[in-house]
Every structure is written in structure tokens, then in C-alpha cells.
Amino acid sequence: QVQLVESGGGLVQAGGSLRLSCAASGTILTITRMGWYRQTPGKQRELVARIISGTPTNYADSVKGRFTASRDIAKNTVSLQMNSLKPEDTAVYYCYLQSARGSRFYDYWGQGTQVTVSS
């Protein structure tokens, strides 16, 4: 089993910054991707940033130029630096990890951390 623990959420004014971190622990196989999703009430969970080994990081259009995702392979952590935050960035942010063993893939999610941006 894999556990993902997020930290760094909170309340910030528009234009401010926050940094989210996620640490993975447990029996971790080959990690194929890590990243961040977010969800607001009544809406589907949406991609924020996704890091796939050997490829450029994918970002949602709404966060390009403001958010930066990074991964520490040795520590099994992934971070999300969020700058120039907007009220519409308010959501619960979830850390995501996909691992692989042979031809099978396993998806894991963190418990979520609330980010609230006030106007």
C-alpha cells in the first residue's frame, strides 16, 4: 500500500502564494506519474499539474505561468508552488501518484488539502 500525505494548504489573499507538498510512503513500485488535482463542490476533480517521467510537466491552462510542480525522486515527494493566486483557485487539492508493476497500474490519492483564496 501507498500513503500520500499532503501539507501546505490554507487561506491566502488574492495575489499571494502557497506551496503544497506531498510525501509518498509505503510499498512504492515504479512511479509512472505524480501530480496534483483539485476539486470544488459540485464539480469533477480536475488536473492541475502532472509530472510524467521523461516528458514535460502538463499544466491546466488556467494555472500555466503561475503554478510550478516539482518532484524529488529520491524522497518520493511532489510539490506545487502556487503564485499569483486567484479566488477561482479555491479548491481542495489532491496529490496523485500512479505506480506500475509489469502491465498493471495503480492509482493513489492523498486525503486532500484545502486552499482558499480571498478576494
Side-chain angles (χ1 to χ4, degrees):
Q1 266 297 17
V2 174
Q3 294 80 41
L4 301 176
V5 178
E6 300 128 334
S7 60
L11 173 65
V12 65
Q13 288 189 330
S17 299
L18 280 175
R19 184 177 180 86
L20 305 183
S21 296
C22 173
S25 62
T27 305
I28 300 173
L29 307 173
T30 301
I31 296 177
T32 52
R33 54 187 69 183
M34 292 188 78
W36 295 90
Y37 285 70
R38 66 186 181 187
Q39 189 171 22
T40 54
K43 293 188 177 181
Q44 286 190 331
R45 194 170 295 185
E46 64 174 7
L47 172 70
V48 177
R50 179 173 56 205
I51 301 173
I52 302 175
S53 299
T55 67
T57 300
N58 299 132
Y59 292 97
D61 288 342
S62 59
V63 308
K64 283 181 181 177
R66 300 187 298 121
F67 290 12
T68 302
S70 58
R71 177 186 166 189
D72 187 323
I73 296 175
K75 297 181 178 179
N76 285 331
T77 60
V78 63
S79 299
L80 184 68
Q81 178 65 42
M82 304 184 293
N83 299 327
S84 302
L85 282 161
K86 304 176 181 180
E88 50 264 43
D89 294 319
T90 296
V92 178
Y93 284 71
Y94 295 90
C95 176
Y96 165 72
L97 180 153
Q98 183 187 77
S99 66
R101 184 172 188 175
S103 60
R104 301 191 67 175
F105 296 89
Y106 303 86
D107 296 329
Y108 301 95
W109 296 91
Q111 80 283 0
T113 184
Q114 177 71 47
V115 171
T116 302
V117 184
S118 63
S119 58

